[in-house]
């Protein structure tokens, strides 16, 4: 049988040129959207001919058929068949992209996806999932699910698709309405998460139609997955460490916008949704399924490579949804999740990870809300719903062990690319830190027996018990003999010295001590060997991490502040000159890291010098190397000179502003004793000795001007300064005003000690 000719060489060449011209127009943006699938643009014969040479896998023809089928009285089964075929062509490329851990999309690695996007596939999928179209033609859930999966695969493999979808506000809002449909929830949530992560502006949750009803309709698994979406709506973008995010830059941004940010508004919206916080507490404290045998332990090396991936999480989430659908009712503790037959198809380790990955997201959301403007309201709810006792029951189920040598330390805003187990522990510790920090609810971290111990410490020391301790509701504290704080201390002392958890563990324990110094709180930790352990880590362990050392110094300062018993223990451990010099070397290696300890010692020294009639104080004072060292004026001046030299207005951040405040503490105490002129004169002499006259004092003058600008409108920050130093904030303000005095005759004004030729005091901050 003769076959029909495809045309003469001239015709074939003309057809090829026509195809190339169309492709050129596509790439140049001259043909977009619906125009990509119109028959007038793409004759079938042309597409089929080009397809053989370009290996398009028939995708352009399928898209043409999909476009032609999208009309009234269309055969939806035919549409679904086409979408299913397209989905199968794209899904393997998406999975390959994920499992091979490619960082950026490449056309050569995902040819099918690029062809799909090039010929208008995104437009056709959007049209099929459009609410009006879906309602008019009774589009099935399975068809919508497949279209959403295709869109998600394109977001993964093709650069720019996610951003283009994110720019469509109507589509984003429509996706949120789709989440009410449990059958397409997973695909919808996964796509929303990707889209919101690339938006320039945080979406406003209050604009989502019927948000409260939507959230209340979620089962516990869906709510946990929804927290993945919330994480990008309630926190500001990662501020990083560049110049745009110094305190000066933040101050400038706040000037231009006095209204709460979208993230802050979203936090308020969530807190006011009925039962939202209560359900998160239940999710956070739900017991992790216990592993049977060593085979169930999570191997970090394996999980690190692929399990943090969203697709794997989604597969696990789908399993949970299917299980929930099979259960007739959903118990409050989600016991059906562990008893479902479907769940037993997974290895035990994956069951644990399934639960852990829920908790990572939930703990993150709770942590952010605890640091927001609604903090006190959130605190009350977390206490009422017994989050802390629940976490205490959960604590022993966590697997604390040494991490792989390649695991890096994670800081507050650092993107985490580690295993679910590590992420879980870090979020757990961050939550404890946020919960305890400068809040009276910190005593909920203790058990009833431990609260009695604190009361006995106050009684034996003949000190009035702190009101916060006396007001603690004992029905809301941890059960059993050991509270969460004691368990954390026990884990911390056993943690390998090179463990990345040490930073967060120390931060969590330190947060319990922050605020007004409490003798009983300090003694409680001293009795558990905390001071000796921290000194070992600083002096004898060989720790090199600046971040971990900083957390040790901060904790040590809070432990020792105004506490003569702590100094006695310090002297007993640092019992040789060699050890003391090693300790000083660690302090001097980075004053940014250790300045909070220096501040606490200077404050304690001033406190003890007023207690000369107390023989215990006199004895310890005479024997303690650290106190003797700081009592020497030249050593305090050395610290002061360095503290005022290592920062300037342009480089001030939340991390190093403490250096400025420590230098101020030294000068405030000097002013109390009438020695402020002596200290300023010493700084002037140091300038000339270093052959930089005016440099140091001009810089310090500008820093204090910014200090006024920064702190006089910050209620929380000023309260923290007052509580931690036991110096009234009014005295802080007075001292700064005196130092910035303009009168040349004032011996307490910085300007007096700067020669006219070197004076540069009145420049604008932005010009510094």
């Amino acid at each position: 049988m003769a076959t029909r000719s495809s045309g003469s060489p001239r015709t074939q060449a003309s057809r090829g040129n026509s195809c190339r011209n169309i492709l050129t127009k596509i790439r140049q943006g001259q043909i977009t959207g619906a125009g990509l699938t119109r028959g007038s643009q793409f004759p079938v014969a042309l597409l089929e001919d080009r397809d053989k040479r370009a290996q398009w896998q028939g995708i352009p023809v399928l898209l043409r058929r999909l476009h032609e089928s999208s009309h009234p009285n269309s055969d939806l089964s035919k549409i679904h068949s086409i979408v299913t075929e397209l989905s199968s062509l794209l899904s393997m490329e998406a999975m390959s992209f994920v499992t091979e851990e490619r960082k950026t999309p490449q056309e050569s690695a995902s040819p099918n996806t690029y062809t799909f996007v090039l010929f208008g596939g995104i437009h056709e999928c959007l049209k099929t999932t459009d609410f009006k179209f879906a309602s008019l033609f009774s589009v099935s859930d399975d068809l919508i699910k497949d279209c959403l999966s295709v869109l998600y695969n394109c977001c993964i493999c093709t650069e720019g698709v996610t951003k283009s979808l994110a720019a469509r506000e109507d589509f984003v809002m429509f996706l949120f309405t789709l989440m009410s449909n449990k059958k397409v929830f997973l695909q919808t949530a996964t796509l929303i998460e990707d889209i919101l992560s690339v938006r320039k502006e945080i979406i406003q949750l209050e604009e989502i139609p019927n948000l409260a009803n939507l959230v209340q309709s979620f089962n516990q698994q869906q709510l946990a997955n929804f927290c993945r979406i919330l994480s990008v709506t309630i926190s500001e973008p990662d501020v990083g460490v560049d110049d745009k995010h110094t305190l000066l830059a933040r101050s400038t941004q706040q000037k231009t916008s006095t209204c709460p940010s979208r993230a802050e508004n979203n936090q308020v919206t969530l807190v006011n949704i009925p039962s939202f916080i209560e359900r998160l507490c239940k999710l956070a404290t739900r017991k992790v399924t216990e592993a049977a045998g060593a085979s169930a332990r999570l191997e970090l090396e394996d999980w690190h490579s692929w399990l943090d991936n969203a697709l794997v999480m989604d597969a696990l989430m789908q399993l949970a949804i299917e299980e929930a659908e099979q259960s007739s009712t959903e118990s409050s503790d989600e016991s059906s999740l562990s008893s479902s037959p479907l769940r037993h198809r997974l290895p035990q380790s994956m069951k644990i990870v399934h639960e852990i990955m829920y908790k990572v997201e939930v703990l993150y959301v709770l942590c952010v809300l605890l640091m927001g403007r609604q903090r006190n309201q959130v605190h009350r709810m977390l206490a009422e719903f017994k989050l802390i006792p629940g976490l205490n029951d959960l604590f022993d189920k966590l697997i604390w062990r040494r991490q792989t040598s390649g695991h890096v330390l994670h800081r507050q805003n650092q993107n985490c690319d580690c295993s679910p187990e590590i992420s879980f522990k870090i979020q757990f510790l961050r939550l404890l830190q946020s919960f305890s920090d400068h809040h009276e609810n910190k005593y909920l971290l203790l058990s009833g027996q431990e609260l009695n111990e604190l009361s006995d410490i106050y009684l034996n020391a003949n000190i009035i018990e702190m009101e916060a301790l006396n007001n603690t509701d004992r029905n809301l504290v941890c059960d059993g003999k050991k509270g969460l704080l004691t368990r954390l201390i026990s884990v911390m002392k056993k943690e390998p010295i090179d463990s990345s958890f040490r930073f967060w563990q120390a931060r969590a324990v330190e947060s319990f001590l922050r605020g007004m110094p409490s003798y009983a709180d300090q003694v409680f930790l001293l009795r558990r060997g905390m001071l000796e352990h921290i000194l070992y880590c600083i002096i004898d362990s060989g720790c090199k991490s600046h971040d971990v050392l900083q957390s040790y110094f901060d904790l040590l300062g809070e432990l020792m502040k105004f506490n003569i018993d702590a100094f006695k223990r310090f002297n007993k451990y640092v019992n040789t000159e060699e050890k003391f010099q090693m300790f000083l070397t660690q302090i001097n290696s980075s004053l940014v890291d250790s300045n909070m300890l220096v501040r606490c010692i200077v404050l304690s020294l001033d406190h003890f010098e007023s207690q000369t009639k107390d023989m215990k104080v006199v004895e310890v004072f005479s024997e303690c190397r650290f106190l003797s060292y700081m009592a020497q004026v030249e050593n305090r001046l050395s610290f002061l000179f360095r503290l005022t030299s290592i920062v300037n207005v342009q480089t001030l951040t939340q991390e190093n502003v403490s250096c400025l405040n420590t230098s101020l503490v030294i000068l405030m105490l000097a002013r109390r004793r009438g020695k402020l002129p002596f200290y300023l004169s010493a700084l002037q002499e140091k300038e000339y000795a270093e052959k930089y006259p005016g440099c140091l004092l001009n810089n310090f003058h500008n820093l204090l001007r910014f200090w006024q600008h920064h702190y006089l409108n910050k209620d929380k920050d000023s309260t923290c300064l007052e509580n931690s130093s036991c110096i009234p904030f009014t005295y802080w303000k007075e001292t700064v005003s005196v130092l910035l005095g303009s009168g040349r005759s004032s011996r307490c004004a910085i300007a007096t000690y700067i020669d006219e030729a070197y004076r540069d005091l009145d420049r604008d901050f932005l010009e510094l």
Side-chain angles (χ1 to χ4, degrees):
M1 180 182 295
T3 57
R4 186 169 55 182
S5 172
S6 60
S8 66
R10 181 184 296 273
T11 303
Q12 293 178 14
S14 175
R15 189 177 295 162
N17 289 335
S18 174
C19 188
R20 281 192 292 272
N21 290 337
I22 293 174
L23 289 176
T24 300
K25 290 181 180 181
I26 292 172
R27 295 186 185 279
Q28 292 175 349
Q30 297 176 29
I31 304 177
T32 59
L36 289 172
T37 50
R38 288 177 187 159
S40 60
Q41 297 283 3
F42 293 96
V44 174
L46 177 92
L47 292 176
E48 291 176 343
D49 178 69
R50 180 64 178 172
D51 190 282
K52 295 175 183 178
R53 290 179 288 167
Q55 295 184 338
W56 284 338
Q57 306 298 323
I59 291 174
V61 175
L62 287 171
L63 288 173
R64 178 190 172 97
R65 287 167 50 197
L66 180 61
H67 175 73
E68 292 173 346
S69 300
S70 301
H71 59 78
N73 303 318
S74 60
D75 185 351
L76 291 179
S77 63
K78 181 179 178 181
I79 294 177
H80 195 182
S81 175
I82 296 171
V83 173
T84 301
E85 189 172 351
L86 288 168
S87 178
S88 65
L89 289 169
L90 306 186
S91 60
M92 292 307 297
E93 289 184 348
M95 185 60 71
S96 175
F97 181 90
V98 169
T99 55
E100 293 177 15
E101 295 186 331
R102 290 196 291 272
K103 300 301 180 183
T104 56
Q106 297 175 353
E107 182 173 354
S108 60
S110 306
N112 292 348
T113 309
Y114 270 77
T115 302
F116 177 85
V117 174
L118 188 65
F119 283 91
I122 299 297
H123 172 79
E124 291 303 322
C125 275
L126 290 177
K127 188 171 64 173
T128 304
T129 57
D130 180 73
F131 178 75
K132 294 179 181 178
F133 181 88
S135 300
L136 183 62
F137 299 108
S138 301
V139 175
S140 68
D141 294 334
D142 289 337
L143 177 53
I144 294 177
K145 184 189 299 184
D146 287 342
C147 285
L148 293 174
S149 296
V150 167
L151 290 175
Y152 180 62
N153 291 339
C154 291
C155 289
I156 292 176
C157 297
T158 314
E159 192 173 5
V161 171
T162 312
K163 289 184 178 180
S164 67
L165 293 178
R168 296 192 52 167
E169 195 76 20
D170 58 337
F171 178 66
V172 175
M173 288 299 170
F174 171 62
L175 286 178
F176 276 101
T177 65
L178 275 182
M179 294 184 75
S180 61
N181 185 339
K182 291 186 177 182
K183 292 185 177 180
V184 299
F185 175 88
L186 173 61
Q187 287 73 18
T188 308
T190 306
L191 185 57
I192 291 177
E193 182 187 350
D194 260 33
I195 288 175
L196 295 187
S197 66
V198 301
R199 279 175 61 103
K200 291 182 179 179
E201 264 195 338
I202 295 176
I203 192 172
Q204 297 197 99
L205 294 178
E206 62 184 1
E207 295 180 356
I208 298 173
N210 301 315
L211 176 65
N213 291 336
L214 177 66
V215 173
Q216 289 176 304
S217 72
F218 294 152
N219 61 35
Q220 290 294 76
Q221 285 79 20
Q222 290 171 330
L223 182 62
N225 206 15
F226 188 60
C227 285
R228 292 171 63 88
I229 296 171
L230 294 180
S231 65
V232 297
T233 68
I234 61 175
S235 55
E236 302 295 346
D238 190 352
V239 298
V241 293
D242 56 33
D243 293 340
K244 295 181 181 179
H245 301 99
T246 61
L247 293 182
L248 179 60
R250 291 185 184 183
S251 178
T252 303
Q253 292 169 1
Q254 290 170 356
K255 272 187 177 180
T256 59
S257 177
T258 57
C259 299
S261 68
R262 288 191 170 202
E264 291 171 328
N265 284 334
N266 287 342
Q267 293 171 21
V268 174
T269 299
L270 289 175
V271 170
N272 292 326
I273 293 178
S275 302
F276 177 71
I277 299 295
E278 180 180 8
R279 293 184 66 192
L280 289 192
C281 288
K282 288 182 179 179
L283 272 171
T285 58
R286 184 171 65 186
K287 291 184 178 181
V288 179
T289 306
E290 295 186 25
S295 61
R297 289 180 174 270
L298 307 180
E299 295 301 329
L300 300 183
E301 295 83 354
D302 297 334
W303 296 121
H304 176 79
S305 62
W306 63 275
L307 203 95
D308 192 45
N309 184 287
L311 288 181
V312 179
M313 173 64 175
D314 294 340
L316 294 172
M317 294 296 295
Q318 183 63 57
L319 174 68
I321 292 173
E322 291 172 358
E323 291 170 345
E325 290 175 349
Q326 288 198 353
S327 301
S328 57
T329 58
E330 180 184 347
S331 61
S332 59
D333 65 351
E334 301 297 319
S335 60
S336 60
L337 185 63
S338 59
S339 61
S340 168
L342 281 174
R343 185 170 180 81
H344 293 298
R345 298 178 187 175
L346 285 176
Q348 185 70 20
S349 55
M350 289 188 71
K351 298 174 193 176
I352 297 174
V353 173
H354 188 196
E355 183 70 20
I356 283 177
M357 294 181 81
Y358 281 151
K359 295 187 185 321
V360 171
E361 309 301 336
V362 172
L363 292 181
Y364 177 81
V365 171
L366 289 176
C367 187
V368 173
L369 294 179
L370 267 175
M371 297 186 291
R373 294 192 175 191
Q374 305 293 108
R375 186 188 186 207
N376 288 333
Q377 182 182 350
V378 174
H379 246 293
R380 286 194 299 272
M381 288 191 282
L382 297 187
E384 177 186 350
F385 302 131
K386 296 190 174 184
L387 173 69
I388 297 304
L391 292 177
N392 188 47
D393 293 339
L394 190 68
F395 192 85
D396 286 336
K397 305 300 180 183
L398 300 179
I399 308 168
W400 293 97
R401 60 176 184 166
R402 182 172 183 155
Q403 306 308 313
T404 57
S405 58
H407 180 50
V408 296
L409 180 71
H410 291 266
R411 296 300 304 271
Q412 184 80 4
N413 291 315
Q414 185 173 340
N415 291 330
C416 183
D417 186 27
C418 53
S419 79
E421 185 189 19
I422 294 174
S423 299
F424 183 29
K425 291 177 183 177
I426 291 175
Q427 289 301 338
F428 184 93
L429 294 170
R430 289 181 65 184
L431 180 70
L432 293 191
Q433 178 188 354
S434 301
F435 189 87
S436 300
D437 193 15
H438 292 91
H439 202 281
E440 61 185 19
N441 273 355
K442 68 180 184 178
Y443 290 113
L444 298 182
L445 295 176
L446 307 181
S447 66
Q449 184 172 317
E450 290 168 338
L451 291 179
N452 292 337
E453 180 182 347
L454 286 181
S455 298
D456 290 341
I457 293 172
Y458 280 119
L459 182 63
N460 294 334
N462 197 25
I463 300 175
I464 298 176
E465 187 173 303
M466 292 192 73
E467 186 177 356
L469 174 62
N470 190 46
N471 292 338
T472 300
D473 186 344
R474 297 193 171 226
N475 293 318
L476 303 177
V477 300
C478 297
D479 298 324
K481 294 182 179 180
K482 292 183 179 180
L484 202 49
L485 180 63
T486 300
R487 295 182 191 277
L488 174 59
I489 292 171
S490 177
V491 164
M492 181 178 175
K493 291 169 68 175
K494 297 175 183 177
E495 196 71 26
I497 202 64
D498 59 348
S499 168
S500 61
F501 293 127
R502 281 191 165 274
F503 171 81
W504 292 107
Q505 288 167 340
R507 279 280 176 259
V509 175
E510 184 221 340
S511 68
F512 182 79
L513 295 174
R514 285 183 192 165
M516 289 288 291
S518 166
Y519 175 78
D521 293 354
Q522 291 171 322
V523 172
F524 182 83
L525 296 182
L526 291 173
R527 287 179 174 179
R528 285 152 178 81
M530 204 70 248
L531 184 137
E532 289 81 3
H533 177 70
I534 295 300
L535 288 174
Y536 165 78
C537 293
I538 294 174
I539 300 173
D540 300 318
S541 71
C543 178
K544 302 296 183 184
S545 168
H546 283 292
D547 294 322
V548 175
L549 284 172
Q550 179 185 336
S551 67
Y552 291 158
F553 284 130
D554 291 351
L555 175 53
L556 183 62
E558 293 296 337
L559 268 175
M560 298 180 68
K561 193 191 311 179
F562 306 137
N563 192 312
I564 197 65
D565 294 324
F567 280 90
K568 186 174 183 180
R569 284 173 173 258
F570 175 91
N571 203 47
K572 186 175 181 180
Y573 187 92
V574 186
N575 53 10
T576 66
E577 186 62 24
E578 180 183 6
K579 272 194 171 184
F580 182 62
Q581 290 303 320
M582 291 174 65
F583 182 68
L584 284 181
T585 298
Q586 290 283 51
I587 290 177
N588 289 316
S589 64
S590 178
L591 203 52
V592 172
D593 298 330
S594 62
N595 83 90
M596 291 296 293
L597 173 62
V598 172
R599 185 193 307 182
C600 291
I601 302 307
V602 170
L603 286 166
S604 300
L605 176 67
D606 181 78
H607 176 71
F608 294 147
E609 284 179 340
S610 65
Q611 297 182 322
T612 54
K613 294 183 180 180
D614 189 324
M615 295 307 298
K616 181 180 180 180
V617 172
V618 172
E619 179 185 355
V620 175
F621 201 114
S622 64
E623 295 176 352
C624 182
R625 289 180 171 84
F626 206 178
L627 287 174
S628 299
Y629 180 85
M630 293 302 294
Q632 299 177 43
V633 176
E634 60 269 25
N635 291 330
R636 294 202 298 276
L637 283 171
S638 176
F639 280 122
L640 178 63
F641 178 79
R642 292 172 58 199
L643 287 166
T644 53
S645 302
I646 57 181
V647 292
N648 57 57
V649 173
Q650 296 286 8
T651 61
L652 270 183
T653 65
Q654 202 64 47
E655 289 290 316
N656 60 30
V657 70
S658 57
C659 294
L660 173 58
N661 289 322
T662 298
S663 64
L664 257 178
V665 166
I666 294 174
L667 292 177
M668 282 191 293
L669 298 180
R671 180 180 171 225
R672 274 184 178 176
R673 297 174 180 270
K675 296 182 179 180
L676 185 55
F678 171 78
Y679 276 71
L680 294 176
S681 179
L683 289 177
Q684 182 188 41
E685 292 176 7
K686 184 69 172 177
E687 280 187 329
Y688 277 89
E690 298 287 334
K691 303 189 184 303
Y692 291 108
C695 181
L696 174 66
L697 290 174
N698 274 313
N699 180 57
F700 190 43
H701 190 278
N702 289 323
L703 284 168
L704 293 180
R705 286 173 55 213
F706 181 78
W707 186 95
Q708 287 183 321
H709 174 78
H710 179 71
Y711 280 102
L712 297 189
N713 297 316
K714 296 261 187 177
D715 292 338
K716 179 183 177 183
D717 286 353
S718 61
T719 301
C720 291
L721 289 178
E722 180 173 324
N723 289 342
S724 63
S725 65
C726 292
I727 298 175
F729 190 65
T730 53
Y731 196 75
W732 285 78
K733 293 190 293 185
E734 289 172 9
T735 303
V736 172
S737 296
V738 168
L739 288 167
L740 293 178
S742 57
R744 290 286 294 172
S745 60
S746 173
R747 297 181 63 243
C748 293
I750 293 174
T752 303
Y753 298 87
I754 307 175
D755 292 340
E756 193 72 36
Y758 306 114
R759 191 177 301 173
D760 186 17
L761 304 178
D762 301 317
R763 293 173 62 187
D764 187 85
F765 290 135
L766 296 177
E767 299 176 2
L768 296 176

